[in-house]
Amino acid sequence: MPVFNVDKSPLMGIWKISEPWQELFDSLTGREAYHPGLNELRSDRRKQEWLAVRLLLQHLSGKEALIRYRKNGAPFLPDSKYHISISHTQGYAALLLSKNPNPGIDIEYHSERAWRLRKKYMNESELAFITSLCDHKNPETALTANVTETATICWCAKETACKALGDTGVDFAEHFRIKPFNPSKEGILLLKEKRTEQKLNFKINYRVTEDFILTWKE
């Protein structure tokens, strides 16, 4: 389908991927330039995600723009005033364009995965925070949508911060700390990183929809 959602501040778009990759490819302008990258991908799903991102970029920027990648895997746009961040999840692709350096975006479909894996990416204070949202009589089984959504927000926020930091050696539990927040359908949370000497503070925006959870940092 066409672009599912667009925000202008920051410039951000989401594509709901329902088309076969061949149809997505036919929708691109300047298709020949995309053959080398597309031919490196084996699965139809990866081709769909890859192409949806490039269609989003053409839609948001209004022109052809090839995405390049740095040694750490971070995408960038040569000869552009915009910095770019990319994410995709089951059935969706998301793209953020920012005039600020080091943006980040992450999108995830709804599931209990982030809750089940919480001990792998959360530190003690975050575990205490997320557990406080559970039914204290039976925290392992009496989950609510609020708990699983909040766990996914935290996971996405750390993925977003990792992209913004541009460091492949980050340990999510050790190097990132999220300040407790009041979960809602849309808001801002605060995250502090301890990986660099600067000890940066990030404001991470989040949005919860019926279909997915989205986080971004301009």
Side-chain angles (χ1 to χ4, degrees):
M1 65 176 294
V3 178
F4 180 72
N5 188 70
V6 170
D7 284 40
K8 292 186 177 180
S9 182
L11 191 54
M12 180 170 65
I14 297 166
W15 191 287
K16 185 173 183 179
I17 307 171
S18 57
E19 310 90 336
W21 70 263
Q22 295 90 342
E23 183 178 330
L24 293 171
F25 181 72
D26 288 341
S27 299
L28 283 168
T29 58
R31 290 187 291 274
E32 291 302 316
Y34 298 93
H35 273 301
L38 186 63
N39 290 338
E40 291 179 4
L41 305 174
R42 299 296 183 186
S43 72
D44 286 354
R45 177 180 172 182
R46 284 291 295 116
K47 290 180 179 181
Q48 285 176 301
E49 292 170 346
W50 192 89
L51 289 165
V53 164
R54 275 121 189 109
L55 281 168
L56 266 176
L57 179 58
Q58 286 193 5
H59 181 87
L60 293 177
S61 66
K63 60 182 181 180
E64 296 174 36
L66 295 179
I67 301 171
R68 305 299 186 195
Y69 293 88
R70 305 189 191 281
K71 290 182 179 180
N72 64 358
F76 72 97
L77 300 174
D79 304 318
S80 174
K81 64 182 179 181
Y82 286 112
H83 302 274
I84 186 174
S85 185
I86 296 166
S87 183
H88 36 72
T89 189
Q90 187 171 294
Y92 292 91
L95 183 146
L96 171 64
L97 294 175
S98 176
K99 293 181 180 178
N100 300 322
N102 306 316
I105 192 169
D106 195 65
I107 187 169
E108 295 286 342
Y109 66 93
H110 288 279
S111 74
E112 294 183 5
R113 181 171 176 268
W115 164 258
R116 293 196 304 268
L117 298 176
R118 63 195 182 279
K119 293 181 181 179
K120 293 184 178 293
Y121 68 92
M122 288 187 174
N123 54 52
E124 290 184 6
S125 64
E126 292 164 346
L127 288 169
F129 161 62
I130 200 74
T131 302
S132 72
L133 302 175
C134 296
D135 181 339
H136 291 285
K137 295 180 181 179
N138 196 350
E140 289 295 334
T141 58
L143 295 181
T144 64
N146 186 49
V147 174
T148 56
E149 283 179 2
T150 304
T152 305
I153 291 170
C154 291
W155 169 259
C156 289
K158 292 195 174 190
E159 285 279 3
T160 296
C162 185
K163 292 175 182 179
L165 203 60
D167 190 332
T168 57
V170 169
D171 181 302
F172 280 14
E174 180 181 351
H175 296 137
F176 289 156
R177 175 162 295 186
I178 294 173
K179 184 177 180 179
F181 61 100
N182 294 320
S184 61
K185 294 302 181 184
E186 189 159 0
I188 297 174
L189 61 83
L190 302 178
L191 181 151
K192 185 178 183 66
E193 63 88 10
K194 299 191 296 179
R195 171 70 173 172
T196 70
E197 292 182 1
Q198 290 81 9
K199 304 293 189 294
L200 300 171
N201 292 295
F202 293 139
K203 288 185 177 180
I204 307 291
N205 297 268
Y206 68 88
R207 181 181 299 161
V208 179
T209 76
E210 262 185 50
D211 304 290
F212 53 79
I213 291 169
L214 182 74
T215 58
W216 68 94
K217 178 259 176 193
E218 289 188 60

